[in-house]
Amino acid sequence: MKKPVILILLFVSYGELTAQNDPTTYFIDRMSVSSSNSRIDVNAKGDTVLISEFDSKNIKNQSHQDFTKIYKGTPYFKNKWFIGQMRLKDGEVIKGNMAFNLVSNVVHFTPFYTAEATELRPEEIILDGHVLRKQKDFFSNAMDYYYEIVYHEKSLILSRPVCRYQPKSQAQTTGYEPTGDNFEGYFEKTEQLFFGSDDKLILIKSNARFYDIFGLHKKAIQSYVIDNKLNIKLKPDILKIFRYYDSLL
């Protein structure tokens, strides 16, 4: 069975999907030339990388150039394709090969035994045991993003996977980067946690404002964090804190 190839036009547009032997990614970074071959790989340092090969032909100047660009990371949820399922707005459930592109906020989907693929924005995605749903019908500021419920007792905590692309020229440097890493750019993945309050999602910030969420129980939560040596930057500890908060309600 042929598996799909995705054409991504970052900074320009997102294109149609075509077919290829491997589930790989075509990537164009501010360029007018299309990748002739692309693949997801792991380099010698263990980094997941996107390798795109380009075949540039200039008819006017009668020139021809082959070159390769390497990007650290990929725009996909967990950097891969899955056999998963999704639920459309009309309630229809569809299964097939799919990859959730976090940069474009779309699902690249191809049915089983079919080479054709397309971009969809379903209401719900189930990939590798993770259930991601749109929440705009419940929270006025959720927009069109996908969220996973990671804690739901008296309090509701949702997680949103985020991926941003930065060209190497714009990426923030720390001074500890190895020289000559050959990366053209970086796909940087993070996770945002939100507290569901009435019809709003409140971003959980890992700073002093973290405690403002708890209102009258703010001091009790601060004491609980100190006594149990919890880190408000770590997801497991944040969920422990909300479990304790629920016990106070």
Side-chain angles (χ1 to χ4, degrees):
M1 179 187 75
K2 289 186 176 181
K3 295 184 180 179
V5 173
I6 301 170
L7 176 61
I8 303 176
L9 305 180
L10 290 185
F11 308 107
V12 183
S13 64
Y14 290 88
E16 298 292 332
L17 288 116
T18 59
Q20 184 106 340
N21 290 330
D22 297 307
T24 59
T25 309
Y26 282 171
F27 182 75
I28 299 177
D29 179 11
R30 294 180 177 174
M31 299 175 60
S32 59
V33 59
S34 176
S35 167
S36 59
N37 185 39
S38 190
R39 68 186 185 275
I40 296 172
D41 207 344
V42 177
N43 65 15
K45 296 181 179 179
D47 299 318
T48 300
V49 297
L50 182 65
I51 303 174
S52 295
E53 298 171 356
F54 296 87
D55 183 0
S56 176
K57 296 179 181 180
N58 190 316
I59 298 176
K60 183 178 180 180
N61 297 329
Q62 295 184 342
S63 63
H64 178 255
Q65 184 182 16
D66 295 331
F67 57 96
T68 299
K69 287 177 175 276
I70 303 174
Y71 305 86
K72 185 174 182 180
T74 79
Y76 309 124
F77 179 73
K78 293 198 170 184
N79 294 323
K80 62 187 292 186
W81 284 74
F82 294 94
I83 296 175
Q85 69 179 51
M86 57 187 170
R87 179 176 55 82
L88 305 182
K89 198 165 187 178
D90 62 2
E92 181 183 4
V93 175
I94 301 176
K95 297 181 180 181
N97 298 303
M98 59 189 69
F100 179 25
N101 189 319
L102 300 174
V103 175
S104 60
N105 198 44
V106 300
V107 174
H108 299 293
F109 170 77
T110 176
F112 297 124
Y113 312 115
T114 303
E116 296 180 358
T118 189
E119 293 181 355
L120 296 173
R121 289 180 169 84
E123 291 298 298
E124 178 182 278
I125 314 163
I126 302 178
L127 299 174
D128 195 34
H130 295 269
V131 180
L132 298 127
R133 298 188 182 97
K134 291 184 179 181
Q135 298 287 338
K136 60 184 179 181
D137 290 340
F138 304 100
F139 300 100
S140 59
N141 61 339
M143 296 190 285
D144 213 33
Y145 296 118
Y146 294 88
Y147 302 83
E148 179 179 12
I149 295 175
V150 293
Y151 176 83
H152 191 190
E153 291 186 14
K154 292 179 182 178
S155 297
L156 174 64
I157 307 298
L158 299 101
S159 166
R160 180 193 159 205
V162 178
C163 180
R164 294 182 176 88
Y165 173 74
Q166 289 198 65
K168 189 170 186 176
S169 60
Q170 296 180 10
Q172 184 177 0
T173 58
T174 64
Y176 293 95
E177 291 82 7
T179 58
D181 61 14
N182 296 322
F183 293 133
E184 192 70 23
Y186 306 86
F187 290 102
E188 300 174 347
K189 291 187 175 69
T190 58
E191 179 184 24
Q192 293 180 335
L193 294 179
F194 294 86
F195 171 53
S197 177
D198 297 324
D199 69 335
K200 298 283 187 181
L201 289 177
I202 300 174
L203 177 64
I204 298 174
K205 299 180 179 180
S206 299
N207 54 31
R209 296 189 63 183
F210 171 81
Y211 297 99
D212 293 342
I213 292 175
F214 304 102
L216 297 175
H217 298 287
K218 178 178 179 178
K219 290 186 178 180
I221 297 299
Q222 288 175 322
S223 298
Y224 177 76
V225 169
I226 294 171
D227 293 344
N228 291 275
K229 297 180 173 61
L230 300 179
N231 187 338
I232 61 173
K233 294 182 178 181
L234 298 179
K235 179 180 174 180
D237 285 0
I238 290 172
L239 298 184
K240 286 179 183 178
I241 293 167
F242 273 95
R243 189 170 289 110
Y244 174 71
Y245 170 65
D246 283 354
S247 72
L248 301 177
L249 299 179

